[in-house]
Amino acid sequence: MALALASKDDGAVMVFQWCNKVFTKITGYDADQVLGQRATILIGPDLEQGVHLYIMEKLMNWENCSTTALNNRKNGEIYLQRMDWTHLSDPETGNHWWLCSIIELEEARAKPATRQDDFVAVADQDSYTKALEKVHRLEKENTRLHELAKSVAKDANEDALTGLSNRRHFEVELKTWIGNLKKTGTEFAVLYIDLDRFKFVNDTLGHDAGDQLLVSVAQMLRELTDESDLVARLGGDEFVILKPLSNSALNVSSLADEIVQRMQAPFSFDGKSTACSVSVGVAIAKANMEVPEQVVADSDAALYHAKSQGRGRWSFFTEAMHSNSIATKQLASDLLLACERREFIPYFQPLIDARTGRIACAEALVRWPHPTKGILAPGAFLDTAAHLGILKRIDEIVFASLSNAMSEFDDSGVHLPRIAVNVSAARLADPTFIHDIKSSGISPERLTVEILESVYLDRIGDVVRWTIDELDEMGITIALDDFGTGHASVRGLLEIRPSILKIDRHFIQPIVSEANARSLTASIIGIGKSLGMRVVAEGVESEEHARIVSEMGCDYLQGYFFGRPMSKTDLRNRLLETGGQFWSPERQDGHGEMARDAG
């Protein structure tokens, strides 16, 4: 047998929500081929048209019916079946259900039965008693089926973890709310809620902690909302609230405020504590909206704006956000197409040996030659790419092009000792990364892998740890990029054991005029040196910068003073013009030579 949820407007329109193994065995359909499908999948080509029309008429009128006729299994095999349709309704939810029972019959003893009220003759007291027992059994079975229908209905509408409405139920209810808006002008607000650091909680405290956090958030939302509100979990760490609009929007803003404030409190699990704020986007479905169905997308745009302003806050939707939302959607579409076309290319910025002034390495930085906007730097598209989950794909495309670039440099007769690539946390955690390096054709001795400090060094996963060990065994140099931006620690440095430490440009830029900045930079250089690392100063924008950081002990220099990121053609021409000599340092002692270490 199977249960189908029927449309409230037409009993013949339904979608299967549950079926048992006997049902799948008889019909030939797997359960996943039945669930979510219309009942028309049970109408085979050999089912008599009259029988088909009889069933449709009964279902449309919400009448139980029974038929015996030839029909087809999924594979086309013809068999004789008895098909029964029983109408069930749930007074609590108002949902209408059909129970479909199919029995395979032997043709020799099958008897057509197209009416449910067939007369049963009772010849004597024994047969009467048996018939009565059968009626009691059927009543008991009908009660069980009602309970089953209620259970299936609950599963169909409720999020299993939190008990809130699920995405399906939310979408159904949203249509009802929008219908009321159009008919009666009943305006409402949409609050789109997203946890800011949910992945961090999962990664650091475990998935059990993540589940408990979601349950806690659900309970908090129940406490803050009214009975007239709809609260749903859309999936992952996303929640949404539909709230009727009163005479003032203050109740909506107060709710958003309270949600943000409640989530400022630390979350504890199994004796450990962490913070997990939320961002909230709010939009109003107004009676004069041309497309009220847009209200959820508007609240999502407001949520995106709240996150871009620092997270842990809420934001009302504005028309300016609508324009930005359209631009973001277009950018997202362009990015996906760019991945298909492999449009991303590397630009190169030189790293200079502080002792000799010669190029020691070139860092490969992603650029996107947009068809209409020209060459775009990462800041123009990486946030959207991260939201789409395609950063790893962009990394793969850029890395795959580096082997040809190195070959072109070598064939041109220019000497580029080494190339450096930035690697995201997702790429490091990808087991195929090592395979891609081995198959790239780039000599390990000429490759540096720069790991962003935001990988969060104190909590390296097993896959990332294995990847780093493999890189080290292959002879690839490991550098820690943007050191000092807030995530790493000396313990993390000891665990990852990079050969090169790159000091973030924000520490380097003020050292010409600020003594405190020089002291802080000297301390970072001291940490790196004490751990046997070579040190790179990023953000070198003047000769004074270059002189100071060289005297402080930096081994390599990188910044606009030596060149902005450039195409491989421009870098090749620059190397041909200069012979690789980018600077003539006044000091000539005391520094390790990256070109020598690079091989």
Side-chain angles (χ1 to χ4, degrees), residues 40 64-65 76 169 239 249 534 548 553:
T40 50
N64 297 345
C65 64
H169 189 229
F239 298 83
R534 290 161 282 158
I548 292 174

Side-chain angles (χ1 to χ4, degrees), residues 457-458 480 483 488-498 500-501 527-528 531 533:
L457 300 179
D458 287 340
L480 180 63
F483 183 77
S489 66
V490 174
R491 174 184 148 195
L493 286 174
L494 292 172
E495 184 174 356
I496 204 170
R497 301 188 306 276
I500 296 174
L501 183 67
I527 291 173
L531 296 174
M533 302 172 189

Side-chain angles (χ1 to χ4, degrees), residues 49-252:
Q49 186 176 11
V51 176
H52 182 191
L53 293 176
Y54 170 80
I55 295 174
M56 292 295 293
E57 180 185 5
K58 292 294 185 180
L59 296 180
M60 289 173 64
N61 294 312
W62 304 101
E63 296 178 13
N64 297 345
C65 64
S66 177
T67 63
T68 299
L70 294 174
N71 204 348
N72 304 86
R73 306 186 209 277
K74 178 190 174 185
N75 63 5
E77 179 186 350
I78 300 174
Y79 72 107
L80 186 64
Q81 66 167 206
R82 178 185 175 92
M83 183 185 294
D84 296 288
W85 291 92
T86 305
H87 176 222
L88 306 171
S89 63
D90 186 346
E92 293 182 8
T93 64
N95 287 336
H96 291 269
W97 296 81
W98 284 107
L99 175 68
C100 176
S101 174
I102 294 179
I103 301 173
E104 184 174 359
L105 303 174
E106 296 179 14
E107 293 192 39
R109 61 180 180 85
K111 178 179 71 172
T114 58
R115 294 177 55 84
Q116 186 187 21
D117 56 354
D118 289 344
F119 178 77
V120 179
V122 180
D124 51 28
Q125 187 64 33
D126 288 342
S127 58
Y128 173 79
T129 302
K130 291 179 180 178
L132 191 61
E133 290 175 350
K134 184 176 182 180
V135 169
H136 288 318
R137 286 199 307 270
L138 290 175
E139 288 177 345
K140 185 177 180 181
E141 178 67 7
N142 193 40
T143 301
R144 188 185 73 83
L145 291 174
H146 269 284
E147 292 300 319
L148 178 60
K150 290 173 65 176
S151 175
V152 172
K154 182 179 179 182
D155 291 342
N157 295 328
E158 189 176 284
D159 176 60
L161 177 64
T162 64
L164 300 177
S165 292
N166 59 17
R167 178 182 288 274
R168 176 196 168 280
H169 189 229
F170 166 75
E171 290 173 347
V172 171
E173 286 296 312
L174 178 63
K175 291 180 181 178
T176 301
W177 286 54
I178 291 175
N180 291 336
L181 173 69
K182 292 178 178 179
K183 291 177 182 178
T184 65
T186 306
E187 298 181 338
F188 62 92
V190 178
L191 291 84
Y192 208 124
I193 304 159
D194 184 78
L195 306 190
D196 293 326
R197 304 176 75 236
F198 182 66
K199 184 178 184 302
F200 175 80
V201 173
N202 266 340
D203 291 344
T204 57
L205 300 183
H207 290 281
D208 288 344
D211 287 349
Q212 184 57 51
L213 175 59
L214 294 174
V215 171
S216 299
V217 172
Q219 182 58 36
M220 179 263 291
L221 295 179
R222 286 192 190 93
E223 294 172 0
L224 296 179
T225 51
D226 302 323
E227 289 186 6
S228 58
D229 301 340
L230 176 73
V231 186
R233 178 187 174 215
L234 299 185
D237 59 345
E238 294 182 344
F239 298 83
V240 68
I241 298 172
L242 300 183
K243 186 174 187 64
L245 199 62
S246 62
N247 295 330
S248 170
L250 286 177
N251 63 334
V252 177

Side-chain angles (χ1 to χ4, degrees), residues 382-400:
L382 279 192
D383 283 347
T384 303
H387 188 70
L388 292 172
I390 60 173
L391 285 181
K392 186 165 74 74
R393 178 63 178 146
I394 294 174
D395 279 353
E396 292 170 352
I397 292 170
V398 173
F399 185 78

Side-chain angles (χ1 to χ4, degrees), residues 403-420:
S403 179
N404 288 336
M406 293 290 282
S407 297
E408 289 184 27
F409 288 134
D410 293 341
D411 294 342
S412 300
V414 299
H415 180 58
L416 180 60
R418 177 181 289 271
I419 197 167

